Amino acid sequence: MATKVLVVDDSSFFRRRVSEIVNQDPDLEVVGVAFNGQEAVDMAAQLKPQVITMDIEMPVMDGITAVRKIMAANPTPILMFSSLTHDGAQATLDALDAGALDFLPKRFEDIASNKDDAIKLLQQRVKALGRRRLFKPVARTTPSSLGTSTTSSSASRLTNSNLSGANSTLKSSITPKLSTANSTTNQGNTASVASIRASGKKYKALLIGTSTGGPVALQKILTAFPANYPHPILLIQHMPAAFTPAFASRLNSLCKINVKEAQTGDMLKPGCAYLAPGGMQLMVEKSASLGRLKVIAGNADMNYKPSVDITFASASKAFGSGVMAVVLTGMGADGREGARMLKTAGATIWAQDEASCVVYGMPQAVASAGISSHSIALENMAEAIIKETARG
């Protein structure tokens, strides 16, 4: 049975173009189109779509407000379309804060250089979100961090807005409530996080790779880290170049640790997280201290920029067994081969569990290959990482 899709945009041309692309796939079906956010809220209740594609700037009600209202009343996986600008980046992060699960550039040439590849990617993203089952969340105990309606211009001022609102919605709406502190070994046996014994290894760096659902997941984990976290952290999030500065700034404003966009020449420091720049590849080189970063363009034919595989592979050479690597929610298998190299070098590899992932692709790739030793729920990941890597 085809996944039902609601297309929301104030541009008749864009509504028609997205609808045509969605309907080209036999597994997808557009069941309605909306001109503004209020129509989207009403049609989400009436049509019960399984996925919604949403513009940000619209008359009557903007997309961010619509996302928040839909997630409160009729939780539905939402894919945002955004411009690759500073304001577009801020607004997209605010939409994720409100509960959207994924985003794509609004200009198709920004999705992929090849038109057919762009069409295929859009269809894949919609189908991936359509596989998520959402449930109406329990009444929230804290108010939304976003407050009243925002347009993209006003959203750009919300640099300190907190993605935990989205995380709270996701935990209660994407999956049934998880049991306390569950983790899974790659053999399928379950155990509590409390039962995971710290290995006692002395680590040199923590690496985290992610894609779809990553912004919320990264914030959930990093905001739990203490200011004196004893290791440098490398973050590889699939994200456009225009978005990573805004995302790094937002994380830095919310976390006790320092967070910055990585630059060539950065010397790794404990308690600092370095976000791989969008459109580039992040490498780590061994140095007399903790290591030095190098940002390069990489091969033009690389599927992911940044690529988790590239950074993981460089860390295997620089740090060997002194790496703790975690693969979080995301589509595809980026990170699997890099994690394999890390494991061969003696590093520790963990993955996010299926139940708490927005898309169980990247974590599944490392888990099913027997590379990761544990699969851990997002809500327990920070505690487990801190427990394992506490030794400086």
Side-chain angles (χ1 to χ4, degrees), residues 11 24 86 100 138 160-161 189 191 203 241 252 275 371:
S11 164
Q24 283 175 17
H86 174 76
V138 177
N160 293 331
S161 178
N189 300 320
Y203 289 95
N252 188 59
L275 178 67
I371 299 170

Side-chain angles (χ1 to χ4, degrees), residues 114-296:
N114 180 283
K115 177 183 175 182
D116 291 337
D117 288 343
I119 290 173
K120 185 176 180 180
L121 181 59
L122 172 56
Q123 292 170 338
Q124 288 175 340
R125 293 286 189 92
V126 172
K127 285 192 285 189
L129 293 187
R131 287 191 281 270
R132 300 304 304 174
R133 292 192 62 193
L134 304 192
F135 303 90
K136 189 169 182 178
V138 177
R140 299 273 294 278
T141 57
T142 58
S144 168
S145 61
L146 291 176
T148 57
S149 169
T150 58
T151 61
S152 65
S153 60
S154 62
S156 68
R157 297 193 295 269
L158 296 177
T159 55
N160 293 331
S161 178
N162 192 327
L163 289 174
S164 64
N167 182 69
S168 176
T169 301
L170 292 178
K171 284 201 298 181
S172 58
S173 63
I174 289 182
T175 62
K177 187 173 182 180
L178 299 175
S179 59
T180 303
N182 278 348
S183 75
T184 308
T185 66
N186 64 347
Q187 287 81 23
N189 300 320
T190 59
S192 68
V193 168
S195 71
I196 299 177
R197 294 183 179 180
S199 66
K201 286 178 62 175
K202 188 170 183 179
Y203 289 95
K204 297 178 181 178
L206 168 65
L207 278 65
I208 305 177
T210 185
S211 183
T212 307
V216 171
L218 286 174
Q219 181 178 296
K220 173 68 175 176
I221 292 169
L222 296 178
T223 52
F225 280 22
N228 63 347
Y229 183 74
H231 309 292
I233 306 163
L234 303 187
L235 309 174
I236 310 95
Q237 162 74 58
H238 294 169
M239 187 173 272
F243 284 33
T244 45
F247 185 43
S249 176
R250 182 174 295 215
L251 286 175
N252 188 59
S253 71
L254 297 169
C255 296
K256 300 180 185 71
I257 61 170
N258 295 318
V259 183
K260 71 183 297 288
E261 188 178 42
Q263 295 178 302
T264 293
D266 280 342
M267 303 301 292
L268 297 183
K269 299 176 182 178
C272 186
Y274 303 84
L275 178 67
M280 305 293 283
Q281 301 295 359
L282 179 62
M283 312 279 287
V284 58
E285 301 174 323
K286 191 173 183 179
S287 71
S289 59
L290 291 174
R292 180 176 56 245
L293 296 182
K294 185 177 181 180
V295 177
I296 62 174

Side-chain angles (χ1 to χ4, degrees), residues 184-188 327 332-337 339-340 343 349-354 360-375:
T184 308
T185 66
N186 64 347
Q187 287 81 23
V327 179
D334 186 28
R336 178 179 57 197
E337 298 313 311
R340 195 189 305 276
K343 184 175 182 179
I349 315 295
W350 287 355
Q352 185 176 345
D353 75 333
E354 181 176 7
Y360 188 56
M362 290 166 57
Q364 182 183 39
V366 296
S368 62
I371 299 170
S372 58
S373 58
H374 290 87
S375 292

